[in-house]
Amino acid sequence: ELRQLIWTGCPSILRPVCWKLLMGYIPLNADRRKISLGRKRIKYTHLAEKLDNDILGSDDLVLLHQIQIDLPRTVVYREFLEHAEIRLAVQRVLFTRALRNPTSSYVQGMNELMVPFLIAFLAEFQAVPPLELDVSEITTSQFHVAEADSYWCFCKFLGVMQNHYTFGQPGIQESCFKVKELLKRADSELYEHLTNEGVDVLHFAFRWLNCLFLREFPAKCIPRLMDTYLAEGDDLPHFIEHFCLVILLKWSAQFKEMTFQSIVSFIQNPPTKRWTVSEVRYFPQMH
């Protein structure tokens, strides 16, 4: 029932708690939450501190360096990453998760998916929407709490799409194939036009599937998108494939009039970047 309610959008003030419930991070019984949260936050602190104290191998240092390179390139909530505390928190979460999950480790794009959790959980302390967060007013202890909560929820979220981030990213490759098949059945003319112009689904769907469209929409729309993603649960990969199809069908007429270069340029700078939350609200339902 909670998933059905959140799927269509969650009130901003309730979003952090609802996300934690959907990720199974906190129990439904409110009386048990304090003890449960305390235990998990302490566990994360120990994990992060252990990494800080361990002597890192050469492969670990290469991994850490890649994360540090990718962070300044992050599009999602870019303005918040100008704060050193935010960057360090994101870096620790990504690095800690990567070392504890060597099969999927770290892949560029994970940085985009992790940031919404941290900003939402920091904003919870000020009872404001994410974009109204005042980082200067966040205390050190609040940073630690939000970082720990983000780690566990982010790990759970990625678990749904594990195959998207293992070696060779087979999950994304498979989803790209499914998007191609969906498009062939839904709009054969568009499929043939793209094929004739030399536009492969991989030219655009890979980034969409890797970052779940978070780079394609403005920051104000990200919490709304995440509501639906989290509510989808294990069905998220299937939902995203259909979301790709909906995006393509939305501008089918325009695509059919375009040549290769125009199509690629359009996809790299889609009109969605100027959308409002009200426009996003009903868009996922079109699938």
Side-chain angles (χ1 to χ4, degrees), residues 222-261:
I222 289 172
R224 175 62 191 85
L225 287 171
M226 289 295 293
D227 288 341
T228 298
Y229 295 164
L230 294 169
E232 280 289 331
D234 293 340
D235 292 329
L236 178 58
H238 175 72
F239 171 80
I240 291 296
E241 291 160 9
H242 283 78
F243 201 175
C244 289
L245 175 65
V246 169
I247 290 287
L248 289 170
L249 296 180
K250 170 74 174 176
W251 289 286
S252 176
Q254 291 94 317
F255 284 138
K256 291 172 184 175
E257 300 296 323
M258 296 179 183
T259 58
F260 174 85
Q261 191 56 54

Side-chain angles (χ1 to χ4, degrees), residues 5 39 43-44 55 72 74 76 84 88 98 103 119-120 123 126 168 193 197 199 234 238 245 249 259 262:
L5 292 171
R39 185 165 53 245
K43 183 176 181 180
Y44 171 73
I55 298 176
T74 304
V76 176
L88 287 173
T103 302
I119 301 305
Q126 298 174 356
H193 178 70
E197 288 297 325
V199 178
D234 293 340
H238 175 72
L245 175 65
L249 296 180
T259 58
S262 297

Side-chain angles (χ1 to χ4, degrees), residues 16-237:
V17 171
C18 289
W19 284 11
K20 292 171 189 176
L21 285 169
L22 288 174
M23 291 294 93
Y25 179 55
I26 58 176
L28 289 173
N29 187 332
D31 294 335
R32 295 169 47 206
R33 287 177 193 170
K34 185 175 181 179
I35 294 175
S36 178
L37 283 171
R39 185 165 53 245
K40 291 176 179 176
R41 288 165 180 168
I42 289 173
K43 183 176 181 180
Y44 171 73
T45 299
H46 289 165
L47 291 174
E49 288 178 348
K50 185 177 185 301
L51 290 179
D52 288 339
N53 296 327
D54 282 352
I55 298 176
L56 300 176
S58 57
D59 290 344
D60 297 338
L61 291 173
V62 170
L63 173 63
L64 179 59
H65 181 58
Q66 185 59 55
I67 293 172
Q68 292 170 335
I69 289 174
D70 289 344
L71 285 182
R73 302 170 179 168
T74 304
V75 173
V76 176
Y77 292 142
R78 182 193 300 271
E79 65 276 19
F80 289 114
L81 287 167
E82 296 176 1
H83 297 271
E85 301 93 337
I86 299 285
R87 287 197 306 275
L88 287 173
V90 175
Q91 176 180 303
R92 276 192 297 267
V93 168
L94 293 173
F95 189 53
T96 302
R97 187 210 165 270
L99 293 187
R100 286 178 54 81
N101 295 270
T103 302
S104 53
S105 187
Y106 168 77
V107 176
Q108 187 176 18
M110 288 183 181
N111 48 315
E112 309 284 359
L113 303 180
M114 185 269 154
V115 174
F117 288 104
L118 181 63
I119 301 305
F121 296 159
L122 286 172
E124 182 178 14
F125 290 110
Q126 298 174 356
V128 297
L131 288 180
E132 295 179 20
L133 169 66
D134 184 350
V135 179
S136 66
E137 295 295 321
I138 296 293
T139 66
T140 300
S141 63
Q142 289 172 339
F143 264 114
H144 291 164
V145 166
E147 181 181 330
D149 293 352
S150 300
Y151 171 80
W152 295 113
C153 290
F154 176 63
C155 288
K156 176 71 172 181
F157 184 60
L158 283 193
V160 173
M161 306 175 293
Q162 184 78 3
N163 288 340
H164 277 216
Y165 304 107
T166 52
F167 180 74
Q169 298 184 267
I172 290 183
Q173 301 287 346
E174 180 181 353
S175 286
C176 283
F177 174 77
K178 290 180 179 178
V179 172
K180 186 181 296 186
E181 291 302 304
L182 287 169
L183 179 61
K184 188 186 299 185
R185 293 199 301 268
D187 191 337
S188 59
E189 287 187 13
L190 176 57
Y191 175 82
E192 290 178 8
H193 178 70
L194 293 177
T195 301
N196 292 336
E197 288 297 325
V199 178
D200 192 285
V201 168
L202 279 172
H203 284 145
F204 48 85
F206 192 91
R207 188 174 90 172
W208 290 353
L209 292 161
N210 194 49
C211 299
L212 305 184
F213 287 98
L214 296 188
R215 293 172 61 102
E216 320 308 322
F217 287 85
K220 59 190 174 186
C221 297
I222 289 172
R224 175 62 191 85
L225 287 171
M226 289 295 293
D227 288 341
T228 298
Y229 295 164
L230 294 169
E232 280 289 331
D234 293 340
D235 292 329
L236 178 58

